[in-house]
């Protein structure tokens, strides 16, 4: 009886909240969502559970969607391996942290500084530069790999942190997103600050930056993802300069004997950027709302 | 003529005086952009006209590289065909998938919306996560697909997924689709949340009867900027596949079935060191991406007109 009442109530509410929505289509669309959700989730699910499988379960036939005897052995083995590398493992962590923190901080400053005048003022060259940014979005980094290497060599930056950090500072996507968000900052705020005698730099730092916080947090995420995924193999040769991603990749590359440890590494490689995204999801969505390409 | 030049330089001086701090703010970005985006394209363009091989001084060879590329290089024809095949399936389909899933998620309660956004977006953020597909489609009986097919008695012996030319492309397409809900997907989610709710009510009064009419008459026109941005991201991504091909199908793949323009580029660039030729491939890809983008932008502008 209660169940029947609840269903009736649900239908009555549905009529109000889901106006213009046919029930059949609702169900069909939820099924579609479910199918693609599973397609997306299942490989991720395997990455997660494999990390906790003992070796005999990783090679069980047929593969299971769950762990019978969950273990932390893979992670323990990883820590033992880490303790025995020729270069202390903390060095790889330091390299990644150094490049990521400096690169991300620099990218936020460099991009936001350029985004502010392009978003808020009209001056000679402004329209040209704005359209250049849109074209640059269509650009693929791999195309310029060879010339970039030659340029890096000329600048004497090969085999140093700067070969990784400096190109990352000029994030076109970052500049584009920041600019599109700064457009919505009211002009009156900027003008009244200027009446009080604030310089452009002061306006940028104490008005524009605080108001575009979601946008630069988003840039931090994208920049972090970029540095985290970069194993530096093109530009870094000296072992003690190489980042964490490279070191973990080397452990995995040892092949089938490292299967257990590899699955632990896969989970770590996945979990870090996902965790960073979860923390900042609302900021990212707020920023992307202004990502549209205007004519 | 010189008078006009003088006037022009005076105008720029004036602009500099008036907007000095603005130009200074842009300067750091401009320098990095010029050094690592504009200059490389120019250098690639110049190198593509030479026979540069990293050892000897480059000689000017004119359009020789391009001629060889188009006329003599059979492997490039395969790479081109594969890239187009790949881009035509994953580009539009990934784009559509991004939009449709964002649209479906948009009607869910906030908690479900956040969770599903994460599930769909996660594959694209973690650089090496796609390696799990190597295990799923592994060619021995431990590969998940093989194991299931074997245990259900559908096949008698493991299928050599990544060693069979016909299977390579379809699998790479599946993997790419799995990873294709990236920046454009987020842009759509955000764009949908920002469509003014009162517009739906107004449209309902004007007579929209179901979600499809709402989608066509209200949502799509309101989201046009997001749709254009998403298209740029998707096209550029789908034309530049190489990482997943090399990592999963190996290099060179069986019968070059997973060979793309970019793997061809890295073959000549980082294995054979024929930099002039590699630069010609790079320049070709650069203009191809630009051209396809322009074309799609033109098409998308027509939405809702």
């Amino acid at each position: 009886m209660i169940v029947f009442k609840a269903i009736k109530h649900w239908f009555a509410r549905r009529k109000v909240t889901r106006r213009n929505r046919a029930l059949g289509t609702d169900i069909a669309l939820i099924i579609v969502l479910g199918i693609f959700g599973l397609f997306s989730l299942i490989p991720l699910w395997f990455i997660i559970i494999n990390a906790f499988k003992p070796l005999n379960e990783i090679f069980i036939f047929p593969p299971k969607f769950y762990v019978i005897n969950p273990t932390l052995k893979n992670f323990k083995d990883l820590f033992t391996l880490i303790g025995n590398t020729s270069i202390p493992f903390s060095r790889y962590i330091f390299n990644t942290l150094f490049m990521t923190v400096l690169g991300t901080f620099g990218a936020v400053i460099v991009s936001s500084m350029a985004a502010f005048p392009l978003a808020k003022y009209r001056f000679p060259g402004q329209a040209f530069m704005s359209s250049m940014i849109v074209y640059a979005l269509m650009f693929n980094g791999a195309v310029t790999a060879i010339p970039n290497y030659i340029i890096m060599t000329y600048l004497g930056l090969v085999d140093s942190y700067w070969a990784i950090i400096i190109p990352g500072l000029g994030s076109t996507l970052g500049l584009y997103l920041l600019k599109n968000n700064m457009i919505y900052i009211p002009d009156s705020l900027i003008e009244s600050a200027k009446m009080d005698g604030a310089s452009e730099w002061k306006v940028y730092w104490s008005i524009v930056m605080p108001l575009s916080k979601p946008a630069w947090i988003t840039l931090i995420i994208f920049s972090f993802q970029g540095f985290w995924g970069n194993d530096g193999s093109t530009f870094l040769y000296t072992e003690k300069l190489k980042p964490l991603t490279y070191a973990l990749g080397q452990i995995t590359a040892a092949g089938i004997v490292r299967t257990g440890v590899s699955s632990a590494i896969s989970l770590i490689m996945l979990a870090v950027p996902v965790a960073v995204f979860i923390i900042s999801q609302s900021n990212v969505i707020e920023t992307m709302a202004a990502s549209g390409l205007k004519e | 003529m010189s008078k006009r030049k003088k006037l022009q330089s005076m105008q720029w001086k004036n602009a500099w005086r008036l907007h000095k701090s603005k130009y200074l703010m842009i300067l750091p970005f401009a320098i990095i952009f010029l050094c690592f985006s504009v200059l490389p394209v120019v250098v690639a363009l110049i190198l593509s006209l030479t026979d540069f091989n990293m050892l000897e001084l480059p000689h000017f060879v004119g359009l020789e590289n391009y001629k060889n590329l188009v006329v003599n290089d059979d492997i490039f024809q395969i790479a081109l065909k594969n890239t187009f095949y790949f881009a035509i399936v994953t580009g539009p389909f990934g784009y559509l998938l991004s939009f449709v899933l964002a649209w479906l998620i948009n009607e869910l309660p906030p908690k479900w919306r956040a969770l599903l956004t994460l599930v769909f977006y996660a594959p694209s953020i973690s650089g090496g996560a796609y390696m799990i597909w190597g295990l799923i489609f592994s060619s021995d009986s431990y590969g998940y697909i093989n194991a299931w097919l074997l245990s259900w008695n559908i096949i008698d012996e493991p299928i050599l997924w990544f060693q069979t030319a016909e299977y390579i492309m379809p699998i790479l397409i599946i993997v790419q689709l799995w990873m294709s809900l990236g920046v454009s997907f987020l842009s759509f989610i955000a764009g949908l949340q920002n469509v003014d709710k009162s517009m739906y009510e107004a449209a309902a009064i004007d007579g929209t009867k179901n979600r499809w009419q709402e989608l066509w008459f209200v949502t799509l026109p309101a989201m046009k900027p997001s749709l254009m941005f998403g298209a740029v991201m998707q096209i550029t991504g789908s034309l530049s596949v190489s990482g997943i091909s090399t990592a999963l199908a190996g290099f060179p793949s069986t019968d070059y079935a997973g060979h793309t323009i970019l793997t061809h580029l890295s073959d000549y660039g980082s294995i054979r060191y024929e930099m002039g030729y590699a630069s010609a491939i790079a320049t070709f890809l650069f203009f191809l991406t630009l051209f396809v983008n322009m074309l799609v932008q033109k098409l998308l502008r027509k939405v809702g007109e």
Side-chain angles (χ1 to χ4, degrees):
Chain A
M1 213 39 214
I2 292 169
V3 176
F4 180 72
K5 240 184 180 166
I7 292 174
K8 209 174 141 191
H9 176 74
W10 184 77
F11 266 103
R13 245 195 78 205
R14 191 178 179 281
K15 247 185 191 160
V16 183
T17 54
R18 311 268 313 154
R19 195 179 47 178
N20 272 355
R21 294 289 183 273
L23 180 63
T25 328
D26 259 357
I27 293 170
L29 291 181
I30 284 173
I31 291 172
V32 171
L33 200 56
I35 291 170
F36 282 104
L38 284 178
F39 171 63
S40 205
L41 191 62
I42 287 172
L44 294 173
W45 177 248
F46 276 119
I47 295 176
I48 297 167
I49 62 167
N50 282 359
F52 300 102
K53 279 181 183 170
L55 204 58
N56 62 333
E57 275 188 56
I58 291 179
F59 289 112
I60 208 165
F61 178 92
K64 298 255 184 305
F65 279 97
Y66 53 89
V67 194
I68 305 162
N69 294 309
T71 169
L72 288 174
K73 186 171 177 299
N74 295 331
F75 292 94
K76 279 182 199 144
D77 287 350
L78 176 61
F79 284 116
T80 328
L81 268 176
I82 288 174
N84 295 329
T85 44
S86 59
I87 283 164
F89 208 76
S90 54
R91 178 71 199 222
Y92 295 116
I93 297 173
F94 167 80
N95 291 341
T96 289
L97 276 179
F98 182 78
M99 288 188 272
T100 308
V101 171
L102 203 65
T104 303
F105 179 75
V108 169
I109 297 294
V110 168
S111 308
S112 62
M113 227 159 66
F116 162 51
L118 290 175
K120 293 312 305 178
Y121 298 111
R122 295 281 164 276
F123 52 90
Q126 185 261 354
F128 172 74
M129 285 188 258
S130 298
S131 64
M132 274 301 273
I133 294 159
V134 175
Y135 287 117
L137 282 178
M138 304 174 181
F139 199 80
N140 175 320
V143 166
T144 52
I146 297 166
N148 254 334
Y149 192 85
I150 298 172
I151 292 165
M152 284 294 178
T153 316
Y154 265 101
L155 294 174
L157 295 177
V158 170
D159 207 22
S160 79
Y161 291 133
W162 304 109
I164 309 293
I165 295 173
I166 293 177
L169 299 183
S171 154
T172 334
L173 182 63
L175 172 56
Y176 175 77
L177 291 176
L178 279 162
K179 178 179 149 280
N180 276 11
N181 276 275
M182 287 175 180
I183 286 173
Y184 297 105
I185 295 173
D187 288 329
S188 54
L189 270 178
I190 295 172
E191 268 151 36
S192 67
K194 277 187 166 172
M195 296 251 234
D196 293 343
S199 66
E200 294 294 0
W201 300 93
K202 175 93 182 151
V203 171
Y204 157 71
W205 191 249
S206 42
I207 293 177
V208 174
M209 281 309 266
L211 285 175
S212 45
K213 192 171 148 215
W216 51 258
I217 287 183
T218 305
L219 176 55
I220 289 178
I221 311 296
F222 287 159
S223 182
F224 172 81
Q225 284 168 14
F227 282 109
W228 178 255
N230 189 341
D231 71 354
S233 56
T234 346
F235 292 119
L236 298 175
Y237 305 116
T238 310
E239 191 64 29
K240 64 177 202 282
L241 294 180
K242 287 179 174 175
L244 188 63
T245 312
Y246 169 84
L248 293 177
Q250 284 309 105
I251 295 176
T252 311
I256 203 136
V257 287
R258 297 271 171 81
T259 307
V261 180
S262 299
S263 50
I265 290 173
S266 298
L267 181 59
I268 294 171
M269 294 301 290
L270 176 72
V272 172
V274 166
V276 173
F277 177 70
I278 292 173
I279 295 167
S280 50
Q281 190 171 358
S282 61
N283 283 303
V284 176
I285 298 295
E286 202 178 326
T287 304
M288 296 309 286
S291 66
L293 254 180
K294 282 155 206 94
E295 285 143 89
Chain B
M1 197 61 198
S2 85
K3 210 174 177 184
R4 212 174 118 201
K5 257 191 188 153
K6 217 173 181 180
L7 198 73
Q8 244 175 12
S9 89
M10 260 175 70
Q11 271 172 351
W12 278 113
K13 256 185 205 151
N14 220 8
W16 170 255
R17 200 170 47 79
L18 277 171
H19 308 285
K20 192 173 161 195
S21 50
K22 290 160 203 157
Y23 289 119
L24 281 177
M25 280 175 165
I26 299 172
L27 194 66
F29 189 92
I31 291 172
I32 293 169
F33 184 70
L34 284 175
C35 283
F36 301 106
S37 294
V38 179
L39 188 63
V41 173
V42 177
V43 172
L45 209 75
I46 295 169
L47 282 182
S48 74
L49 303 172
T50 70
D51 61 356
F52 187 45
N53 59 7
M54 305 281 276
L55 300 171
E56 301 155 85
L57 277 177
H59 296 285
F60 182 76
V61 294
L63 292 173
E64 192 70 21
N65 288 326
Y66 292 96
K67 206 184 104 201
N68 284 335
L69 194 62
V70 177
V71 181
N72 298 331
D73 191 342
D74 294 337
I75 311 292
F76 182 68
Q77 305 292 330
I78 299 176
L80 202 59
K81 206 190 79 206
N82 285 339
T83 306
F84 275 126
Y85 175 34
F86 195 89
I88 283 168
V89 180
T90 62
F93 198 63
Y95 183 67
L96 224 65
L97 207 62
S98 296
F99 180 78
V100 169
L101 292 177
W103 181 61
L104 292 180
I105 287 174
N106 190 47
E107 294 203 358
L108 298 175
K111 267 190 190 143
W112 278 97
R113 194 161 60 202
L115 181 73
L116 279 169
T117 306
L118 182 69
V119 167
F120 286 125
Y121 181 59
S124 75
I125 35 177
S126 43
Y130 60 79
M131 291 309 290
I132 190 72
W133 289 94
L135 208 57
I136 293 175
F137 279 105
S138 180
S139 298
D140 49 34
S141 57
Y142 294 117
Y144 296 174
I145 302 276
N146 275 335
W148 285 318
L149 291 177
L150 282 170
S151 66
W152 297 330
N153 288 322
I154 296 172
I155 53 172
D156 299 324
E157 50 186 60
I159 297 172
L160 303 173
W161 297 107
F162 287 116
Q163 283 75 42
T164 314
E166 301 93 84
Y167 292 137
I168 290 177
M169 255 304 160
I171 295 173
L172 290 182
I173 285 172
I174 290 173
V175 177
Q176 177 71 18
L177 283 176
W178 182 68
M179 301 181 3
S180 66
L181 295 144
V183 178
S184 47
F185 172 68
L186 289 186
S187 169
F188 294 156
I189 295 252
L192 282 162
Q193 281 180 31
N194 272 37
V195 178
D196 195 344
K197 298 283 176 295
S198 62
M199 281 167 71
Y200 291 112
E201 279 154 33
I205 294 165
D206 285 347
T208 49
K209 287 202 177 52
N210 52 46
R211 77 186 84 213
W212 311 107
Q213 289 183 345
E214 272 182 14
L215 175 67
W216 187 252
F217 293 113
V218 183
T219 315
L220 282 179
M223 292 216 10
K224 214 157 121 183
S226 283
L227 291 174
M228 308 256 265
F229 172 75
V232 170
M233 289 316 201
Q234 207 75 38
I235 292 166
T236 313
S238 67
L239 282 173
S240 51
V241 182
S242 77
I244 61 168
S245 170
T246 326
L248 293 174
F251 183 84
S253 43
T254 312
D255 292 342
Y256 288 102
H259 204 58
T260 64
I261 300 181
L262 258 191
T263 55
H264 202 56
L265 169 61
S266 47
D267 183 11
Y268 281 92
S270 33
I271 298 173
R272 303 182 203 213
Y273 292 113
E274 290 183 32
M275 295 306 181
Y277 196 65
S279 297
I281 302 172
T283 311
F284 180 87
L285 183 59
F286 174 75
F287 283 109
L288 179 73
T289 313
L290 207 62
F291 173 74
V292 176
N293 265 306
M294 300 295 211
L295 200 74
V296 172
Q297 295 283 308
K298 234 182 196 149
L299 285 176
L300 280 178
R301 267 192 199 135
K302 294 220 165 76
V303 171
E305 259 172 25

